[in-house]
Amino acid sequence: MIHELILWIQHNLKYVVQQDKTSACSGESMLSTEATTDNAVSTVLLHLDHMRAKGKYVKTLEKWCADLKLTGRVMFMGKMIFILLQGDKSSIKEYMVLQKTSKVDVDSSGKKCKEKMISVLFETKAQTEDRRFQAFEVKEYSTLDELQNEFKAAGLAELFTEFVLPRLK
């Protein structure tokens, strides 16, 4: 499956490079209306049930986000794990495919496994008042106030109240 994914990327990357060269020569814009709509900045909030191999799992998430040019946070508070991502809608979709098809964690016997316990709590096109994260970071919070302040700083206080707070009770 990974081999097929690599072949798909190679095939499509060639197409994008060819299209870019053609557009540059003719002076045309490479973005169509459809591409602009699909690549609008989106925000998604995910909830993970658990991480058994935390170090490896987090490194994988950091690599995917760097490759897909996604920003946001992995937020740990006690046993709760939230992932808040911002980026192109197409990149977020690709991230979700990777999240569900790659072996990112280990099961109780230590065998590599795919993520089956992930929930999409919220997804939307980012609003103009939302502040974009500058990078993808891993953060641990010891209090509810610290976690809430992270959402407030991002202009997402309502998201915290509506989707995160009920899971913490």
Side-chain angles (χ1 to χ4, degrees):
M1 184 165 73
I2 292 173
H3 184 262
E4 290 175 21
L5 183 60
I6 290 170
L7 290 174
W8 182 89
I9 290 170
Q10 287 173 336
H11 177 335
N12 288 316
L13 185 60
K14 288 177 186 177
Y15 174 76
V16 171
V17 170
Q18 288 171 347
Q19 184 179 10
D20 187 32
K21 286 178 183 175
T22 305
S23 297
C25 292
S26 64
E28 297 174 9
S29 172
M30 193 172 95
L31 295 175
S32 68
T33 307
E34 185 178 315
T36 304
T37 303
D38 192 42
N39 290 332
V41 175
S42 294
T43 299
V44 65
L45 178 63
L46 308 169
H47 174 256
L48 288 177
D49 185 63
H50 64 277
M51 270 187 202
R52 286 193 176 98
K54 185 177 175 181
K56 186 175 187 237
Y57 201 129
V58 167
K59 283 186 191 251
T60 301
L61 296 182
E62 289 173 328
K63 181 178 180 341
W64 289 345
C65 288
D67 292 348
L68 296 170
K69 296 182 175 95
L70 295 173
T71 59
R73 304 280 185 268
V74 174
M75 300 176 281
F76 295 95
M77 189 177 133
K79 293 185 178 189
M80 298 301 291
I81 306 165
F82 297 99
I83 302 174
L84 184 60
L85 296 174
Q86 290 180 327
D88 292 343
K89 186 175 183 177
S90 60
S91 294
I92 289 177
K93 283 182 183 179
E94 195 170 335
Y95 171 90
M96 292 304 295
V97 168
L98 287 168
Q99 183 75 52
K100 292 187 176 200
T101 60
S102 301
K103 293 183 178 182
V104 292
D105 205 3
V106 295
D107 62 17
S108 57
S109 64
K111 184 179 170 188
K112 291 182 179 181
C113 65
K114 296 176 184 176
E115 181 59 64
K116 295 180 183 170
M117 303 294 288
I118 189 168
S119 306
V120 177
L121 300 179
F122 179 80
E123 182 175 8
T124 189
K125 181 178 167 185
Q127 304 300 315
T128 53
E129 65 270 6
D130 292 348
R131 292 172 198 85
R132 289 287 310 265
F133 291 112
Q134 298 303 310
F136 182 78
E137 298 177 18
V138 179
K139 293 198 168 188
E140 297 206 24
Y141 304 93
S142 55
T143 68
L144 190 59
D145 287 338
E146 288 176 4
L147 183 60
Q148 186 173 15
N149 288 336
E150 185 73 43
F151 279 86
K152 282 181 184 177
L156 301 169
E158 290 177 16
L159 193 68
F160 176 83
T161 304
E162 192 170 340
F163 296 100
V164 175
L165 200 54
R167 296 217 175 237
L168 296 172
K169 291 182 178 179

